[in-house]
Amino acid sequence: MAKKNENSTSGGTVPGQVLTIGLPRALLYDRYQVLWKTFFGQLGAEVRVSPPTTLETLNIGSARAIDEMCLSVKLYLGHVEALIGKCDYILVPRISNFGIRRYMCTTFEGMYDICRNLFRKSGQKFLSYNIDVTHGLDEETAFIAMAGEIGFSRKNAVKAYKAAKKAESDDWKRRVKQQEALYKNDGLKVMIASHSYVEKDAYIGRPVTEFLKNAGVTVLYADVMDRKDALKQGAKLSPTMRWELNREIAGGIYENRKRVDGIILLPVFPCGPDAMTNDMIIRRVAQLSGAGENTPILNLMLDAQSGMAGIETRLESFIDILTFKKGI
């Protein structure tokens, strides 16, 4: 197994060999992949990403999980399993909150401990960073501390973090700009309102978006917009919503609901935050719409037993409704 980079300052590993960091391709991967890859790359480490999700990934993860865990967590455990023994460390961050009413699902607080416990006999090392702004632990502090734990100097860690944040910001601005151009497309436009780790997943989410695209629908994502603005707009739907990711999704819906022909909510079973927020979103969007202006919403729950046949039938019906409403 590869070891630590020559830029490292401690840890007792062999100088001159490259440290490998495994990234599970699930949960927060899509959101933070540019940040993670750039940060570790700047430090001279090698990043290894688990393969795209398959049915086997789900089956392996489900065998590791308890029944009460949501589908996304089961997939994540399958991706962690795929990296066991193939890297020096597997990154499993602990993110509690970004401030008051900016909390993450408790899954993201406990996942590091869950993985260490479930894979304790594998000999695999896990790496984490801890973000808890309400207790004074911000992202930069967390990344610098993480780099120190694997032997990199504070100077190198600060430099790597600044480069990673710039790369992340530039990438996100590019993605937002690309989506903004799609709003100008003719024909049906449908907004997917879901977590990126659901809508971008190769096994559970991408078949939905690909079906829509193959039907000639322009697909847009509620959470692809300026994140600070999304949080502000989300408060207009619900000023008391406490989950950061759900509030961003709600903000995208509020800001752009009149620019699309329909909205598809794409939760996974049994996601607690989505179960509480999606019903509110449906009611609030109806309240905000004027007479004859209500934006159709499809709530399409995904679970481990979902087959594409039933999903495609519901998507076809939804497209028919939007087509009839739009008069095309």
Side-chain angles (χ1 to χ4, degrees):
M1 191 179 298
K3 299 298 182 182
K4 198 169 299 183
N5 184 272
E6 60 186 354
N7 293 326
S8 61
T9 59
S10 64
T13 53
V14 180
Q17 294 188 351
V18 179
L19 189 75
T20 55
I21 309 295
L23 302 180
R25 194 191 296 263
L27 289 183
L28 296 176
Y29 173 77
D30 181 76
R31 184 181 183 90
Y32 290 121
Q33 61 166 311
V34 174
L35 180 69
W36 293 338
K37 290 176 179 177
T38 307
F39 180 74
F40 290 117
Q42 287 287 314
L43 291 175
E46 176 187 330
V47 168
R48 185 164 296 166
V49 183
S50 59
T53 306
T54 63
L55 177 59
E56 183 181 10
T57 311
L58 175 58
N59 290 338
I60 291 173
S62 297
R64 288 281 187 177
I66 60 174
D67 292 340
E68 289 75 13
M69 288 178 172
C70 75
L71 178 60
S72 296
V73 172
K74 293 174 181 177
L75 291 177
Y76 187 81
L77 295 177
H79 281 278
V80 172
E81 178 103 3
L83 290 168
I84 295 293
K86 299 177 181 178
C87 47
D88 293 297
Y89 293 92
I90 297 176
L91 178 65
V92 184
R94 178 188 180 272
I95 306 180
S96 173
N97 65 81
F98 299 99
I100 301 298
R101 286 184 184 162
R102 296 187 61 188
Y103 290 87
M104 297 289 278
C105 170
T106 54
T107 291
F108 300 111
E109 291 188 68
M111 188 53 63
Y112 175 69
D113 292 318
I114 291 171
C115 288
R116 286 191 63 189
N117 180 59
L118 287 176
F119 299 99
R120 63 187 180 277
K121 296 181 180 180
S122 68
Q124 177 65 55
K125 293 180 181 179
F126 289 90
L127 181 64
S128 188
Y129 59 86
N130 184 19
I131 298 178
D132 188 346
V133 174
T134 60
H135 289 87
L137 300 172
D138 61 18
E139 185 181 79
E140 182 174 5
T141 300
F143 269 67
I144 292 172
M146 173 178 65
E149 289 179 6
I150 53 177
F152 292 96
S153 69
R154 178 180 177 83
K155 179 181 178 180
N156 286 341
V158 170
K159 181 179 178 181
Y161 178 75
K162 290 181 178 179
K165 287 303 289 183
K166 184 181 186 304
E168 179 187 51
S169 177
D170 291 345
D171 178 73
W172 190 247
K173 289 177 181 177
R174 176 189 60 79
R175 292 173 65 176
V176 171
K177 184 177 180 180
Q178 286 180 342
Q179 170 149 301
E180 189 63 27
L182 293 177
Y183 280 108
K184 300 176 183 178
N185 284 2
D186 296 326
L188 289 180
K189 291 184 282 289
V190 170
M191 176 186 291
I192 302 293
S194 180
H195 300 290
S196 61
Y197 51 81
V198 175
E199 63 200 21
K200 302 296 177 59
D201 185 84
Y203 183 71
I204 61 171
R206 195 176 299 166
V208 173
T209 57
E210 290 301 316
F211 181 87
L212 292 170
K213 291 176 182 178
N214 290 336
V217 176
T218 296
V219 176
L220 303 123
Y221 301 100
D223 59 343
V224 179
M225 64 178 291
D226 180 86
R227 285 172 176 158
K228 289 183 179 179
D229 189 38
L231 292 175
K232 292 178 181 178
Q233 299 300 326
K236 295 178 182 179
L237 274 186
S238 172
T240 58
M241 189 184 299
R242 59 185 281 121
W243 296 289
E244 179 89 348
L245 304 186
N246 291 83
R247 194 166 177 177
E248 289 178 358
I249 293 169
I253 292 173
Y254 183 88
E255 178 75 5
N256 298 302
R257 67 190 189 281
K258 295 182 180 180
R259 304 172 71 188
V260 297
D261 300 295
I263 299 170
I264 297 179
L265 303 177
L266 203 62
V268 297
F269 182 81
C271 176
D274 283 358
M276 286 184 274
T277 59
N278 283 357
D279 181 65
M280 178 276 298
I281 287 172
I282 293 171
R283 288 184 288 105
R284 289 289 289 132
V285 169
Q287 292 171 359
L288 292 168
S289 301
E293 297 179 359
N294 189 28
T295 304
I297 299 178
L298 171 64
N299 190 11
L300 189 60
M301 176 75 72
L302 302 177
D303 61 39
Q305 306 303 319
S306 295
M308 275 307 293
I311 291 175
E312 289 178 358
T313 299
R314 295 188 66 187
L315 290 173
E316 287 174 348
S317 298
F318 190 61
I319 292 172
D320 288 343
I321 290 171
L322 300 183
T323 303
F324 178 78
K325 188 173 184 292
K326 195 175 180 70
I328 57 176

